[in-house]
């Protein structure tokens, strides 16, 4: 399990510059996976691209007419959902970061021999079906449950309501519940890369900072945080990307005001049967993610994507 | 006050840990429930019924079996292919390396509905009938990227001097790989396989598109069942899987610790 | 800032300073006064508690008991960032994400010093790295990094500068250079330096006062030459260089400051002034390798002489080190400066001799 | 892309062959896809009626509960049907409007009534469906009404009796759900507005949808759901919702306090129907299966468990003896008075379907 | 295996060995013969090509051109695992997943040696680690790991053992111990050792022959004392320890093997035998610090003398090192053995002198 540490799920090892030229060898090694990705991912993606430029309907069939207007149409109609998805994904990412950072630090530096066990516990939720997990959240946040009771008794619901995260004095069916679900689901993807980088962090630097008159807060911002950026970058990517496309959480824990773009794609694809617009929306989503990610990665200055 | 300041991170860490564990705890608790009605959402009465008759919910155990089989097969295949690719990417410089890195990254960024449906279209065009094979292909596709990323990090942090030492000690490249490289990368591979297994075992959307007429995986079963009620047996499976994962790792660590303690004791003698 | 003359800072006093880790006593009640402005070295083998002591002074470790005073002030309870004490860490601990200039300016900026940039640049000039200000630490060689760490600490004009094996990772040549450099800087800025090392040569070259530590306690304290020439225990003697130790039995009384005695049956004379007050458990005679000389013909005047044969000779440039086997099996180490004095070959029968005033006498038992 | 398809959509017009060589006689098997929990189950997880069928005919039933949702299921089989490939299923159970679409696209085969003698037991009122006039392609499996369900615990004891109340009562704000089934949700509103579902116009549809949109914008609605509305209703997280009769009967068995109201002006009705897709490998076996379930005694057994309205005449009589509680339940065996109010959404043209769907989804996912 | 006496292995010959990395020439046509059974040291600054040379001998790097011969056999084209050459890597490169015993037995098992276990244990005894056989490498200290790496290499009885800065990571004390240990083992097993280091003292202490490398070439090659006492270039002189260099102009002719000359205007005499054949570009006089002596009263007989004053004195135990400033500003380094000879204090005016036969003369220009 210490391996999951290495899972790095992103963090780049410092000694990690590839160093050899191997003639054919790398290509032979890559062949199976690459073949798989090309046949089962690239090819469908290309046909998806062509689909996004077709016109027609289910009864008369679709023909490729290079109808780029679909993209403009998709954007103009669904920009609010795009925006909302980005905002939700971003706030979920922020949430996972806020919760995941102390947890990763705790596991890396304070957990002693419990380290491995805690790492497994972080990943273990994946072994319980996603629907059961989400239903468990429904049980936890239910109107008559103790959590809601606590929130009501302490007036926290009013606070949440005031900032627009909930309404109706309940927790379920709100932006709050959706964000909670998203954070919960993607926390492991944040914690693992953060853990990998924080564990490697040279704690002597913290002593040095203290020695140079930095108190706890300054030590964090001036030393720990900048040094953990690579982990923060991979963690945020691995959280943000799937969260932006997710809709299970918004569907089961949200309300009619919390529809995310994944739900729209789903509806266009399955219910309206408007394949071009569904394909176009998918492409816009992928493109948006990749542009955001590329810009982010460049700004953060890490060499490789994930 | 000083105590609080020093242990703040521990307290927060434990709270977040609790946040992660609470849903699992709920699942576990409700696996001992005897619900009043078909929905298992309110505590009614303690009962071991579901634990004693785990398969009494029609089709669940078959679905579970299928899911386990698919997860094992897919994670195995993804692990083999992903490990090979990770070696290529972590080890060699070659033309198109960054393009390949990008290609590996894309499937992780693709919405599942899109991946599921476009794969289905492809299978039909290729004439591959939907069923276990198509599920397997799809699962390998979306897990292989995770394996590659995971193993690549491990491969990259491997000291190249070790393989050279093996060569220096008369091991030809094949022997050097199996005796030195592989055992050292193994933890990374295990992590990748574990992640692949978890992702495969938990996937619904992509699977649902590519499952044939009579292949129902466990997530599909759960999704279907949840429409009309949630049999307690689902919680039993969730609980078993969760503690199973813990146990496997726990035992692994125990064996490791035993070995270490053993050698330390010898040292003391 | 190098040009500002500072008022001599107060003395640093450690009073019964103790630190336990669980059951383990890392530092065991140290009492110590380090005069302000002096260059003080803490010497001892790995694990004897040097770093722990230093960290307590820096405020990075809490003492289990005892006090730390800086001048008149008790600083035991203050936190690291509140102390006017800076450390050069063994591993440098430079911030890899900051430029050299930002590293050096870190402490000043924390204290909101307005002209931090000017002062950091001055400190870099002091360590001769002004031209590297924009680079990242990892672009510098080990020696340069060490100097950055030094600049980063002294720029804050601390009352005490702690140096934890700052030269440990450097190669020999660089180490020698840096030793000279450090001493120069200390003389220039007049800050109290506490230098931790386990390299005895280093401690002796650099420090005004050396304290030899052993399992959490201070074994002996004094000027380098005092410790070297008159070690109080065999432990100190061995720690500060090699020694040839012989069991010693006193035979005669003191005449002209000399006493006759017998070492392994050979008659020798020792300096009466060196006999320890309490010689209950027997005595040992100690002679440093470089104080032993291969005697050529015509050196009959030397009072102390032992015969043996050369079992090994190794040339080190400056000197040649011989192992000379005695009749009773012990091998004495003799370091002969390559200044033109007698050389010997492997297997040669030789006589070694020494001046009684250059040997020392220890109580036996205490090792 | 696909080649142009004849919009008339009759089976014969399709370019690819529709019927596969029937393997029924050599291969004693039938593949049946159905909705989850839509058949009788015993304590061991077996389906007694299916076991009895196998015993009687020697035909093994490969029963799959993989029909979770009309659209999702359609998305899964459409590419196969379009490409002229076997779907691996011999029959499945689609909702009325989906049957219409399947027929329109030429994806389903005509039933051979010679193999279904029991089809004479079909309730007379169901013989002629607007989506399948004369029923050459489909036979109903179960029928249900769409109404309003509420949990008195969550409404504070108040009854919810009208769509108007559902969409505008401030005490229900944010705790109301409607169905993602367009015809059920909008149909309920249309009837409230006095529109006959058999004669809906595009304008009326848009106007009714506007009401839903306004309720949603006002924060009245918590969500649009599929079958997953039932649990929150039972637990009280949902106060009131649009619901299907069968579900409500079952929920009330566990929680008798749940309330239910059917519209005064009219009641939207839906049916789920057996169809046989193109290239089904065991068409005759599928027809034998349908025939088997049209035996009133068998259907009574199913009804006793699933609690929807059976389409087979004579089932009530059998249940009166076996399980009077079910037989006398107004929601399972509605009175003639209630039945008279039942309305079915009219069949839509391809263009209408696309347009209505697009508008409706704009509300649902807006 | 330590007890088996081996037939002396063949000589190792490098013929015009060259290695390019892209445009960069790391090793630039080295010609070299390492006699079988000798202890050979390759010395040079970081980046001069030592490791690359070693790796080519081991077969881990392919030469761009040139040949490698082992005895009569050309091994240039063979692969690493086919060569009877073993390496102790700078970083040890122990297999972390194998026990110490399995590490040591690795090579034997690869070659299907039946009694690998016995022989591995013998090798561990040789390096005094027999009791650690079952442990994992990371449980050992740095010095122990180094010995395991050594045992792992020598257990295979290679024709040539390559050691790439095997002691670089050890601390001073341990390094000295291991130097003695290595030399003992080499004498015991009689294998050819090629030892790479950038520590000149280490090279001189251990090796029979030292080659000083510079940017891919061999600058000078010979016995340690030869290189130290008679460096051919200033580069070698400086690399093998400190030197005081003075510009030299010949004045007179040779009398009694001595030549008069002038250094910075002061008259000195030099050994005629040391004048280089080609003195076109001018000459430099070199004197090692320990060959310079502070002259006390009554040393008028010394021919070469320079006056100056002491600017620094540092005591190192064995010796004291003085910096003596000359009238023209240059500071000469003088290392005076603490054997009772004259000492001086800071600021004292002193006279330093040297024996003409203990100085050396270099062509100027060549640095
Ligand atoms: N945090 C800690 N927990 C437990 N034991 C510790 C801790 N820090 C130090 N020790 C123990 O205290 C003793 C003294 O350690 P310290 O670091 O002060 O030694 P040192 O003299 O600096 O040695 P070195 O020369 O190796 O740096 C050691 O035995 C060490 O194992
Ligand atoms: N794989 C390589 N690719 C490019 N240049 C290399 C490679 N290996 C070595 N070099 C270059 O060749 C030169 C010689 O390197 P080498 O490692 O032989 O030096 P070295 O003498 O062992 O130095 P050190 O004492 O630092 O170990 C260096 O400048 C190095 O940068
Ligand atoms: Mg220390
Ligand atoms: Mg090297």
């Amino acid at each position: 399990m210490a391996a999951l540490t290495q899972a790095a799920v992103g963090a780049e090892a410092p000694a990690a510059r590839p160093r050899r030229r191997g003639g054919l060898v790398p290509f032979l090694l890559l062949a199976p996976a690459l073949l798989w990705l090309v046949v089962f991912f690239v090819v469908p993606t290309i046909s998806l691209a062509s689909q996004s430029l077709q016109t027609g309907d289910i009864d008369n069939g679709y023909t490729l007419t290079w109808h780029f207007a679909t993209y403009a149409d998709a954007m103009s109609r669904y920009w609010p959902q795009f925006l909302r998805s980005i905002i939700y994904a971003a706030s979920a990412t922020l949430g996972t970061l806020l919760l995941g950072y102390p947890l990763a630090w705790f596991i890396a530096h304070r957990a002693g021999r419990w380290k491995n066990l805690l790492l497994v516990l972080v990943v273990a939720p994946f072994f319980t079906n996603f629907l059961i997990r989400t239903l468990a959240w429904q049980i936890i946040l239910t109107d008559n449950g103790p959590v809601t009771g606590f929130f009501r008794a302490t007036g926290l619901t009013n606070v949440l309501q005031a900032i627009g995260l909930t309404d109706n004095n309940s927790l379920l069916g709100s932006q709050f519940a959706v964000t909670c679900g998203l954070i919960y689901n993607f926390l492991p993807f944040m914690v693992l890369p953060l853990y990998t980088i924080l564990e490697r962090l040279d704690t002597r630097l913290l002593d040095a900072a203290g020695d140079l008159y930095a108190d706890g807060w300054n030590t964090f911002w001036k030393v720990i945080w900048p040094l953990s950026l690579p982990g923060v970058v991979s963690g945020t990517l691995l959280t943000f990307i799937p969260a932006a496309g997710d809709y299970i959480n918004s569907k089961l824990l949200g309300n009619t005001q919390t529809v995310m773009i994944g739900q729209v794609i789903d509806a266009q694809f399955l219910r309206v049967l408007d394949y071009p617009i569904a394909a176009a929306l998918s492409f816009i989503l992928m493109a948006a993610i990749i542009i955001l990610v590329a810009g982010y990665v460049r700004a953060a200055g890490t060499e490789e994507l994930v | 006050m000083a105590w609080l300041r020093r242990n703040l991170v521990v307290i927060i860490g434990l709270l977040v840990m609790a946040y992660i564990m609470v849903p699992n705890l709920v699942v576990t608790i409700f696996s001992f429930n005897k619900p009043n009605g078909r929905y298992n959402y309110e505590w009614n009465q303690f009962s071991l019924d579901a634990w004693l008759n785990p398969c009494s919910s029609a089709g669940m155990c078959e679905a579970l079996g299928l899911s386990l089989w698919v997860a094992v097969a897919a994670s195995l295949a993804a692990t083999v292919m992903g490990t090979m690719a990770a070696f290529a990417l972590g080890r060699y410089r070659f033309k198109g390396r960054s393009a390949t890195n990008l290609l590996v990254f894309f499937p992780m960024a693709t919405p599942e509905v899109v991946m599921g449906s476009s794969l289905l279209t492809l299978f039909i065009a290729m004439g591959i009938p939907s069923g276990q094979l198509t599920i397997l292909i799809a699962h390998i596709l979306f897990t292989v990227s995770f394996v590659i990323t995971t193993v690549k990090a491990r491969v990259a942090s491997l000291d190249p001097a070790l393989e050279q030492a093996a060569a220096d000690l008369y091991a030809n490249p094949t022997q050097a790989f199996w005796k030195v490289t592989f055992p050292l990368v193994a933890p990374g591979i295990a992590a990748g396989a574990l992640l692949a297994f978890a992702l495969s075992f938990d996937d619904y959307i992509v699977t649902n598109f590519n499952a044939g007429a009579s292949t129902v995986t466990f997530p599909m079963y759960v999704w279907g069942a949840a429409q009309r009620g949630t049999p307690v047996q689902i919680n039993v499976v969730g609980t078993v899987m969760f503690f199973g994962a813990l146990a496997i790792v726990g035992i692994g660590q125990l064996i490791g610790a035993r070995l270490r303690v053993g050698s330390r004791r010898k040292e003391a003698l | 800032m190098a040009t500002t003359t500072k008022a001599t800072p107060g003395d640093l006093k450690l009073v019964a300073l103790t630190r336990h880790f669980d059951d383990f006593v890392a530092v065991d009640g140290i009492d110590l006064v380090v005069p302000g402005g002096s260059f003080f070295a803490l010497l001892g083998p790995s694990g004897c508690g040097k770093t722990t002591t230093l960290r307590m002074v820096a405020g990075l470790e809490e003492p289990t008991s005892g006090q730390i005073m800086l001048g008149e002030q008790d600083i035991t309870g203050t936190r690291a960032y509140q102390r006017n004490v800076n450390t050069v860490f063994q591993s440098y601990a430079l911030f890899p994400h900051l430029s050299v200039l930002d590293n050096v300016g870190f402490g000043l900026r924390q204290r909101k010093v307005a002209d931090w940039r000017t002062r950091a640049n001055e400190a870099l000039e002091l360590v001769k790295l002004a031209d590297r200000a924009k680079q990242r630490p990892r672009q510098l060689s080990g020696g340069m990094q060490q100097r950055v760490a030094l600049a980063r600490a002294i720029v804050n004009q601390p009352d005490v500068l702690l140096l934890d094996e700052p030269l440990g990772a450097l190669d020999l040549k660089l180490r020698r250079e840096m030793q000279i450099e450090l001493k120069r800087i200390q003389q220039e800025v007049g800050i109290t330096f506490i230098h931790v090392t386990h390299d005895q040569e280093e401690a002796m070259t650099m420090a005004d006062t050396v304290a030899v530590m052993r399992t959490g306690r201070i074994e002996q304290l004094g000027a380098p030459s005092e410790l070297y020439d008159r070690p109080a225990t065999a432990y100190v003697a061995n720690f500060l260089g090699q020694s040839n130790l012989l069991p010693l039995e006193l035979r005669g009384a003191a005449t002209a400051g000399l006493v006759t005695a017998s070492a392994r049956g050979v008659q020798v004379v020792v300096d009466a002034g060196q006999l320890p007050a309490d010689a209950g458990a027997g005595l040992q005679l100690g002679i440093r390798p470089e104080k032993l000389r291969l005697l050529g013909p015509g050196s009959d005047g030397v009072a102390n002489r032992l015969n043996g044969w050369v079992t090994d000779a190794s040339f080190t440039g400056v000197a040649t080190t011989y192992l000379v086997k005695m009749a009773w099996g012990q091998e004495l180490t003799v370091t002969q400066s390559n200044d033109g004095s007698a050389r010997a070959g492997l297997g040669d029968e030789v006589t070694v001799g020494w001046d009684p005033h250059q040997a020392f006498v220890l109580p036996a038992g205490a090792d | 892309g696909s080649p142009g398809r004849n919009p008339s959509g009759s089976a014969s017009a399709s370019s690819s062959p529709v019927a596969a060589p029937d393997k029924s006689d050599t291969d004693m098997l039938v593949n049946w896809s159905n909705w989850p929990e839509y058949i009788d189950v015993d304590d061991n997880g077996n389906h007694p009626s299916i076991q009895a069928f196998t015993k009687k005919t020697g035909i093994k039933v490969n029963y799959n509960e993989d029909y979770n949702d009309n659209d999702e299921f359609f998305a899964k089989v459409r590419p196969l049907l379009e490409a002229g490939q076997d779907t691996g299923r011999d029959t499945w159970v689609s909702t009325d409007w989906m049957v219409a679409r399947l027929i329109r696209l030429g994806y389903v085969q005509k039933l051979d009534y010679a193999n279904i003698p029991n089809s004479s037991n079909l309730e007379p009122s169901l013989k002629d469906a607007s989506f399948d006039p004369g029923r050459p392609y489909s036979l109903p499996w179960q029928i249900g009404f769409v109404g309003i369900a509420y949990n008195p615990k969550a409404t504070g004891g108040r009854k919810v009796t009208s769509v108007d109340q559902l969409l505008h009562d401030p005490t229900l704000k944010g705790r109301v759900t409607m169905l993602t089934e367009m015809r059920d949700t909008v149909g309920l509103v249309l009837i409230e507005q006095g529109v006959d579902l058999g004669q809906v116009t595009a304008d009326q549809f848009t106007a009714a949808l506007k009401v839903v949109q306004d309720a949603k914008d006002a924060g009245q609605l918590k969500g649009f759901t599929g079958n997953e509305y039932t649990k929150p209703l039972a637990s009280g997280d949902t106060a009131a919702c649009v619901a299907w009769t069968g579900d409500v009967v079952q929920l009330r068995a566990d929680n008798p306090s749940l309330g239910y109201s059917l519209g005064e002006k009219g009641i939207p009705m839906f049916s789920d129907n057996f169809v046989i897709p193109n290239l089904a490998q065991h068409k005759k076996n599928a027809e034998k299966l349908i025939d088997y379930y049209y035996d009133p005694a068998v259907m009574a057994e199913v009804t006793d468990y699933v609690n929807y309205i059976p389409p087979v005449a004579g089932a009530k009589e059998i249940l009166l003896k076996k399980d009077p509680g079910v037989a006398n339940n107004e929601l399972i065996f509605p009175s003639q008075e209630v039945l008279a109010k039942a309305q079915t959404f009219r069949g839509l043209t391809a263009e209408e379907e696309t347009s209505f769907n697009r508008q409706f989804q704009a509300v649902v996912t807006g």
Side-chain angles (χ1 to χ4, degrees), chain B residues 171-182:
Chain B
N172 65 35
T174 319
Q175 292 168 322
F177 178 80
W178 286 113
K179 296 216 166 149
V180 175
T181 315
F182 183 77

PDB file of all heavy atoms in Angstrom, chain B residues 171-182:
ATOM      1  N   ALA B 171      24.070 -10.588 -14.876  1.00  0.00           N
ATOM      2  CA  ALA B 171      22.679 -10.832 -15.243  1.00  0.00           C
ATOM      3  C   ALA B 171      22.446 -10.245 -16.627  1.00  0.00           C
ATOM      4  O   ALA B 171      22.743  -9.076 -16.861  1.00  0.00           O
ATOM      5  CB  ALA B 171      21.744 -10.181 -14.228  1.00  0.00           C
ATOM      6  N   ASN B 172      21.925 -11.054 -17.567  1.00  0.00           N
ATOM      7  CA  ASN B 172      21.608 -10.478 -18.871  1.00  0.00           C
ATOM      8  C   ASN B 172      20.339  -9.648 -18.728  1.00  0.00           C
ATOM      9  O   ASN B 172      19.684  -9.696 -17.690  1.00  0.00           O
ATOM     10  CB  ASN B 172      21.509 -11.570 -19.938  1.00  0.00           C
ATOM     11  CG  ASN B 172      20.359 -12.517 -19.682  1.00  0.00           C
ATOM     12  OD1 ASN B 172      19.315 -12.104 -19.185  1.00  0.00           O
ATOM     13  ND2 ASN B 172      20.546 -13.783 -19.987  1.00  0.00           N
ATOM     14  N   PRO B 173      19.970  -8.879 -19.737  1.00  0.00           N
ATOM     15  CA  PRO B 173      18.864  -7.927 -19.543  1.00  0.00           C
ATOM     16  C   PRO B 173      17.582  -8.575 -19.043  1.00  0.00           C
ATOM     17  O   PRO B 173      16.894  -8.011 -18.182  1.00  0.00           O
ATOM     18  CB  PRO B 173      18.684  -7.337 -20.945  1.00  0.00           C
ATOM     19  CG  PRO B 173      20.041  -7.408 -21.553  1.00  0.00           C
ATOM     20  CD  PRO B 173      20.650  -8.680 -21.024  1.00  0.00           C
ATOM     21  N   THR B 174      17.250  -9.768 -19.532  1.00  0.00           N
ATOM     22  CA  THR B 174      16.022 -10.417 -19.072  1.00  0.00           C
ATOM     23  C   THR B 174      16.121 -10.756 -17.588  1.00  0.00           C
ATOM     24  O   THR B 174      15.213 -10.478 -16.807  1.00  0.00           O
ATOM     25  CB  THR B 174      15.793 -11.719 -19.852  1.00  0.00           C
ATOM     26  OG1 THR B 174      16.125 -11.479 -21.208  1.00  0.00           O
ATOM     27  CG2 THR B 174      14.373 -12.176 -19.726  1.00  0.00           C
ATOM     28  N   GLN B 175      17.235 -11.360 -17.231  1.00  0.00           N
ATOM     29  CA  GLN B 175      17.403 -11.706 -15.819  1.00  0.00           C
ATOM     30  C   GLN B 175      17.398 -10.474 -14.951  1.00  0.00           C
ATOM     31  O   GLN B 175      16.798 -10.461 -13.874  1.00  0.00           O
ATOM     32  CB  GLN B 175      18.730 -12.460 -15.635  1.00  0.00           C
ATOM     33  CG  GLN B 175      18.737 -13.820 -16.284  1.00  0.00           C
ATOM     34  CD  GLN B 175      20.141 -14.404 -16.340  1.00  0.00           C
ATOM     35  OE1 GLN B 175      21.108 -13.679 -16.566  1.00  0.00           O
ATOM     36  NE2 GLN B 175      20.247 -15.713 -16.153  1.00  0.00           N
ATOM     37  N   ALA B 176      18.058  -9.416 -15.413  1.00  0.00           N
ATOM     38  CA  ALA B 176      18.115  -8.190 -14.630  1.00  0.00           C
ATOM     39  C   ALA B 176      16.704  -7.664 -14.412  1.00  0.00           C
ATOM     40  O   ALA B 176      16.353  -7.207 -13.325  1.00  0.00           O
ATOM     41  CB  ALA B 176      18.960  -7.134 -15.332  1.00  0.00           C
ATOM     42  N   PHE B 177      15.871  -7.751 -15.448  1.00  0.00           N
ATOM     43  CA  PHE B 177      14.512  -7.251 -15.294  1.00  0.00           C
ATOM     44  C   PHE B 177      13.768  -8.037 -14.224  1.00  0.00           C
ATOM     45  O   PHE B 177      13.197  -7.464 -13.309  1.00  0.00           O
ATOM     46  CB  PHE B 177      13.752  -7.325 -16.612  1.00  0.00           C
ATOM     47  CG  PHE B 177      12.327  -6.866 -16.484  1.00  0.00           C
ATOM     48  CD1 PHE B 177      12.033  -5.510 -16.485  1.00  0.00           C
ATOM     49  CD2 PHE B 177      11.292  -7.774 -16.288  1.00  0.00           C
ATOM     50  CE1 PHE B 177      10.731  -5.078 -16.317  1.00  0.00           C
ATOM     51  CE2 PHE B 177       9.992  -7.346 -16.120  1.00  0.00           C
ATOM     52  CZ  PHE B 177       9.709  -5.998 -16.141  1.00  0.00           C
ATOM     53  N   TRP B 178      13.795  -9.358 -14.342  1.00  0.00           N
ATOM     54  CA  TRP B 178      12.965 -10.150 -13.427  1.00  0.00           C
ATOM     55  C   TRP B 178      13.514 -10.197 -12.015  1.00  0.00           C
ATOM     56  O   TRP B 178      12.767 -10.313 -11.053  1.00  0.00           O
ATOM     57  CB  TRP B 178      12.769 -11.565 -13.968  1.00  0.00           C
ATOM     58  CG  TRP B 178      11.807 -11.554 -15.106  1.00  0.00           C
ATOM     59  CD1 TRP B 178      12.087 -11.833 -16.413  1.00  0.00           C
ATOM     60  CD2 TRP B 178      10.414 -11.208 -15.056  1.00  0.00           C
ATOM     61  NE1 TRP B 178      10.955 -11.676 -17.171  1.00  0.00           N
ATOM     62  CE2 TRP B 178       9.909 -11.299 -16.381  1.00  0.00           C
ATOM     63  CE3 TRP B 178       9.539 -10.824 -14.031  1.00  0.00           C
ATOM     64  CZ2 TRP B 178       8.591 -11.020 -16.694  1.00  0.00           C
ATOM     65  CZ3 TRP B 178       8.222 -10.549 -14.352  1.00  0.00           C
ATOM     66  CH2 TRP B 178       7.761 -10.646 -15.677  1.00  0.00           C
ATOM     67  N   LYS B 179      14.839 -10.115 -11.884  1.00  0.00           N
ATOM     68  CA  LYS B 179      15.399 -10.242 -10.542  1.00  0.00           C
ATOM     69  C   LYS B 179      15.505  -8.908  -9.821  1.00  0.00           C
ATOM     70  O   LYS B 179      15.547  -8.876  -8.601  1.00  0.00           O
ATOM     71  CB  LYS B 179      16.784 -10.871 -10.631  1.00  0.00           C
ATOM     72  CG  LYS B 179      16.705 -12.275 -11.183  1.00  0.00           C
ATOM     73  CD  LYS B 179      17.704 -13.174 -10.527  1.00  0.00           C
ATOM     74  CE  LYS B 179      17.373 -14.601 -10.835  1.00  0.00           C
ATOM     75  NZ  LYS B 179      18.567 -15.428 -10.885  1.00  0.00           N
ATOM     76  N   VAL B 180      15.616  -7.830 -10.554  1.00  0.00           N
ATOM     77  CA  VAL B 180      15.852  -6.549  -9.882  1.00  0.00           C
ATOM     78  C   VAL B 180      14.750  -5.546 -10.177  1.00  0.00           C
ATOM     79  O   VAL B 180      14.047  -5.090  -9.288  1.00  0.00           O
ATOM     80  CB  VAL B 180      17.221  -5.968 -10.284  1.00  0.00           C
ATOM     81  CG1 VAL B 180      17.406  -4.594  -9.671  1.00  0.00           C
ATOM     82  CG2 VAL B 180      18.318  -6.902  -9.837  1.00  0.00           C
ATOM     83  N   THR B 181      14.584  -5.233 -11.455  1.00  0.00           N
ATOM     84  CA  THR B 181      13.652  -4.160 -11.797  1.00  0.00           C
ATOM     85  C   THR B 181      12.231  -4.474 -11.352  1.00  0.00           C
ATOM     86  O   THR B 181      11.593  -3.686 -10.667  1.00  0.00           O
ATOM     87  CB  THR B 181      13.666  -3.921 -13.307  1.00  0.00           C
ATOM     88  OG1 THR B 181      15.010  -3.900 -13.734  1.00  0.00           O
ATOM     89  CG2 THR B 181      12.994  -2.626 -13.642  1.00  0.00           C
ATOM     90  N   PHE B 182      11.773  -5.650 -11.741  1.00  0.00           N
ATOM     91  CA  PHE B 182      10.379  -5.967 -11.478  1.00  0.00           C
ATOM     92  C   PHE B 182      10.050  -5.941  -9.980  1.00  0.00           C
ATOM     93  O   PHE B 182       9.101  -5.275  -9.573  1.00  0.00           O
ATOM     94  CB  PHE B 182       9.998  -7.296 -12.104  1.00  0.00           C
ATOM     95  CG  PHE B 182       8.554  -7.633 -11.911  1.00  0.00           C
ATOM     96  CD1 PHE B 182       7.591  -7.004 -12.686  1.00  0.00           C
ATOM     97  CD2 PHE B 182       8.153  -8.521 -10.932  1.00  0.00           C
ATOM     98  CE1 PHE B 182       6.257  -7.276 -12.497  1.00  0.00           C
ATOM     99  CE2 PHE B 182       6.828  -8.796 -10.727  1.00  0.00           C
ATOM    100  CZ  PHE B 182       5.866  -8.175 -11.517  1.00  0.00           C
TER     101      PHE B 182
END
